[in-house]
Amino acid sequence: MKVTLSALDTCESSFTPLVVLELAQDVKEETKEWLKNRIISKKEDGGAQLLFRPLLNKYEKETLENQNLYLVGASKITLLLGAEAMGLVKECNDNTMRAFTYGTRYNFKDFDDDNDDFLTMAECQFIIKHELENLRARDEKMIPGYPQAKLYPGKSLLRRLLTSGLVIQVFPLHDNEALKKLEDTWYTRFALKCQPIDHIRGYFGETIALYFGFLEYFTVALIPMAVIGLPYYLFVWEDYDKYVIFASFNLIWSTVILEVWKRGCANMTYRWGTLVMKRQFEEPRPGFHGVLGINPVTGRKEPLYPSYKRQLRIYLVSLPFVCLCLYFSLYVMMIYFDMEAWALSLHDNSGSEWTSVLLYVPSVIYAVVIEIMNRLYRYAAEFLTSWENHRLESAYQNHLILKVLVFNFLNCFASLFYIAFVLRDMKLLRQSLATLLITSQILNQIMESLLPYWLQRKHHVQVKRKVQALKADIDATLYEQVVLEKEMGTYLGTFDDYLELFLQFGYVSLFSCVYPLAAAFAVLNNFTEVNSDALKMCRVLKRPFSEPSANIGVWQLAFETMSVISVVTNCALIGMSPQVNALFPESKLDLVLIVVAVEHALLALKFILAFAIPDKPRHIQMKLARLEFESLEALKQQVQANEIQCPGIFKIMKKHRQEEKKTQASHYLDHS
């Protein structure tokens, strides 16, 4: 008789496995039992009220490799109550977007007691992740079976289990059928078409869908720059005087595309519900630690950590470390210029074909060193930001992004600024820009997608052979899927993907007037980037947990800051051009003053454009205003109903408010 793994039940009920939890091989049984009880216990008892079972039953553990793998799921009512607690927004029958509530569930479109697709699988996995991360220690002083693993009230149990090595990883399972449908419409058939952004959102969540939406939008926005830049490069690539018009177009382009993106982003996120989603009272991140206390805003028990301690860590440790890394980056840059000078002198002395090729070697070596330094610094920045102990995930991400952006900007662009404004060597600037851009794109494609894909295919073959060698009385389809996915790499978020686009935007907007082909190379790279990133998400890395997002977050500010810097850079390059210098043969001071005045005027125009183009389309603004009005009306009706039911209490409250106003008035008169 065949035993089907996917048909196994827990003591509560059968469930669809959504999340996998892998324990270390030598975890004690009492620890497993304690963890199981905390996961399946009711909320009022400090549990997560989820469903939990081992991947293999006792019989199968004797037949298959003994894996400490457990499946986590949830009943339908638990998921719906979780959606309400987290403020997930869904479309109502009247086509408005509202926060889901269990009591009014029948008012929402497509809701039915027999419909299991009301919440997407990504949303269900997100709810389970939230419940697991918010399992916190209560009366336990240690993890059962491990006296050295201390616990204190408010400590995240999952975080403590991960740091102590008892839990190896937690990840959501792929839905093979839904994944195959997504792949067929996404990247398996190469064609110039729009990405299925709504389907990507349904499977991976809003954060990843917004990244792919921005990648597609940015690629299309680069096409005009590429089309205009191509004839410039082919016909007047040595005549830098002609680049004044190209630089001027660059200034307007960099502003308009970012403002138009915000409008398109608002359209998408309103349709998905995340634009309306309220997140004022964000839960503490799992890595946050402190003494258990009462949050003065929400009244909930949670860890508290003095802000002055965090500020001391930031200003006395993190800031000096970042400055030291920036100094080291500048030191490496000067070594690169020494290598450039050596290669140039060697070529001048011999003038052979071999030495002409050697001229590009320092730039290639420097580009590789930049990538290595960026990756090493990223690990240090993550460690420091985690050590700073930020309460909110958003604060953690903002501080991490700030650290990494400052270093990456200096590391990637300092040499270009030095060549442009100190050496004033436009030929070397063009050569360095081309080498850095192309080398970084090739390295990113290899390191992010091709190499992991090759390693994953190799591991997939090994797993297939192992499963085929199993006894015939085991249907190990689910076993094969879980074992294969647990060995996949972990997707670390959209940080590196946005960072790559940010640096690419810098190369195009800052110096493309010197090298007009930069936009064309960026377009070619992004066409392949869409497919390689899609392959990476679907087949190379574990499925990431969904995360609601209303926009691209702090990256919008980063791109806007880069566009402001591009205005200053392009104005300076225009002022340095021989054509403009010829207009002021006698007084260079007049030239500088006019360039500064033009730069200020363009910045003013940029901010006027940003103000004139609303962040949200008019129809979205009206819908949001309508929701706000209806919320206030509902609150008024609730207050009136309560006054009718409890008139005595409300009379006392009204009298108290009147006395409070009199006291405030008397204080005002006294001070007057």
Side-chain angles (χ1 to χ4, degrees), residues 17-33:
L18 296 171
V19 175
V20 176
L21 192 149
E22 182 183 6
L23 302 182
Q25 289 293 337
D26 56 350
V27 173
K28 297 177 180 178
E29 288 300 324
E30 61 177 306
T31 309
K32 295 179 185 178
E33 192 63 28

Side-chain angles (χ1 to χ4, degrees), residues 183-201:
E183 288 177 317
D184 289 341
T185 58
W186 195 2
Y187 72 92
T188 53
R189 300 171 187 173
F190 183 77
L192 295 177
K193 60 180 181 179
C194 295
Q195 298 178 87
I197 300 297
D198 286 332
H199 293 163
I200 297 170
R201 176 255 171 180

Side-chain angles (χ1 to χ4, degrees), residues 279 282-283 285 390-401 554:
R279 303 195 71 183
E282 194 177 340
E283 293 282 347
R285 53 187 292 268
H390 296 280
R391 177 183 175 273
L392 302 180
E393 184 64 29
S394 56
Y396 170 84
Q397 290 295 333
N398 289 344
H399 280 79
L400 175 62
I401 289 171
V554 72

Side-chain angles (χ1 to χ4, degrees), residues 373-391:
M373 289 171 61
N374 285 344
R375 293 180 186 276
L376 291 176
Y377 177 82
R378 167 73 185 277
Y379 294 124
E382 286 178 345
F383 173 80
L384 276 177
T385 310
S386 180
W387 178 72
E388 288 166 6
N389 195 28
H390 296 280
R391 177 183 175 273

Side-chain angles (χ1 to χ4, degrees), residues 80-245:
L80 292 174
L81 292 173
E84 177 180 351
M86 299 179 66
L88 292 185
V89 174
K90 290 289 185 178
E91 187 176 5
C92 293
N93 292 322
D94 59 358
N95 297 322
T96 59
M97 305 298 294
R98 300 178 189 278
F100 175 79
T101 56
Y102 186 76
T104 60
R105 58 192 181 278
Y106 295 108
N107 295 336
F108 289 86
K109 186 175 287 188
D110 299 327
F111 181 85
D112 189 88
D113 289 329
D114 298 325
N115 180 19
D116 294 328
D117 297 326
F118 177 71
L119 296 175
T120 66
M121 188 174 182
E123 288 171 335
C124 294
Q125 289 167 335
F126 175 58
I127 292 168
I128 290 176
K129 175 201 174 195
H130 179 267
E131 297 295 346
L132 289 174
E133 287 182 341
N134 282 280
L135 276 175
R136 298 191 178 271
R138 304 181 84 185
D139 302 325
E140 305 97 329
K141 302 297 182 185
M142 63 178 186
I143 295 176
Y146 296 90
Q148 73 279 9
K150 302 295 183 184
L151 292 174
Y152 53 86
K155 179 73 175 178
S156 170
L157 295 180
L158 183 61
R159 179 78 178 186
R160 188 69 184 94
L161 289 164
L162 286 166
T163 54
S164 61
L166 299 177
V167 171
I168 305 299
Q169 59 182 333
V170 181
F171 62 92
L173 272 174
H174 274 294
D175 182 339
N176 289 327
E177 186 178 341
L179 183 62
K180 186 69 173 67
K181 290 179 181 177
L182 177 61
E183 288 177 317
D184 289 341
T185 58
W186 195 2
Y187 72 92
T188 53
R189 300 171 187 173
F190 183 77
L192 295 177
K193 60 180 181 179
C194 295
Q195 298 178 87
I197 300 297
D198 286 332
H199 293 163
I200 297 170
R201 176 255 171 180
Y203 192 84
F204 288 111
E206 290 80 14
T207 299
I208 291 172
L210 280 174
Y211 162 69
F212 280 101
F214 183 74
L215 173 59
E216 179 179 80
Y217 171 80
F218 182 54
T219 305
V220 173
L222 281 168
I223 292 176
M225 288 285 289
V227 170
I228 295 172
L230 194 60
Y232 265 90
Y233 183 81
L234 293 176
F235 302 113
V236 291
W237 66 280
E238 285 288 358
D239 189 358
Y240 296 105
D241 297 346
K242 302 293 190 300
Y243 292 161
V244 174
I245 299 173

